[in-house]
Amino acid sequence: MKNRNSNEFSISNIDEINDSGCKEFKVGEGDWPFHGFLVKYGKNIYAYKNYCPHAGHQLNWSPDNFLTPDKKKIICSSHGAIFDIESGLCVSGPCVGSKLLKLECFINNERVIIKLP
Ligand code: FES
């Protein structure tokens, strides 16, 4: 749901995301909607574009599945790049040093709001 006169979108209730859990989202319709995902980590929530800087693939192969087994990093299912949850920086794999596209994200009345670039 788009907020009036802005590029902010209400994505989800915060309690719909488990601790160390993720939630995919899509904004827009037609041929080129924006695909992203939320990560709840500790007391914080992060939002990223679902686009790997290595080869441009989406990061996940199954719904809402973006984390390593220990749930401490983001992993790309295509070739195994590992990303820091807080910064989006690739710390291991074929694109070390590159970053996921991080989105502004905040909570308002229990809703997770993201701001598209
Ligand atoms: S496309 Fe993500 S690691 Fe290759």
Side-chain angles (χ1 to χ4, degrees), residues 52-59 76-81 83 94-95:
C52 181
H54 173 230
H57 300 175
Q58 67 178 40
L59 291 143
C76 178
S77 298
S78 290
H79 310 107
F83 302 89
C95 50

Side-chain angles (χ1 to χ4, degrees), residues 6-103:
S6 77
N7 56 347
E8 293 178 0
F9 295 84
S10 175
I11 300 298
S12 167
N13 272 340
I14 185 68
D15 60 7
E16 293 175 29
I17 310 168
N18 298 328
D19 285 343
S20 300
C22 300
K23 184 175 179 66
E24 290 181 79
F25 64 86
K26 181 177 88 167
V27 172
E29 301 296 331
D31 292 339
W32 302 102
F34 184 94
H35 292 271
F37 62 101
L38 306 173
V39 185
K40 192 171 176 187
Y41 188 63
K43 294 185 176 181
N44 298 314
I45 190 132
Y46 302 91
Y48 289 100
K49 182 177 183 180
N50 189 359
Y51 180 92
C52 181
H54 173 230
H57 300 175
Q58 67 178 40
L59 291 143
N60 62 318
W61 284 353
S62 57
D64 301 328
N65 188 8
F66 292 88
L67 299 180
T68 54
D70 66 3
K71 300 196 180 297
K72 292 184 175 174
K73 301 283 185 206
I74 296 166
I75 185 167
C76 178
S77 298
S78 290
H79 310 107
I82 306 285
F83 302 89
D84 179 67
I85 290 175
E86 288 144 317
S87 67
L89 178 68
C90 181
V91 295
S92 176
C95 50
V96 169
S98 57
K99 280 185 160 186
L100 300 174
L101 178 63
K102 192 173 189 177
L103 307 170

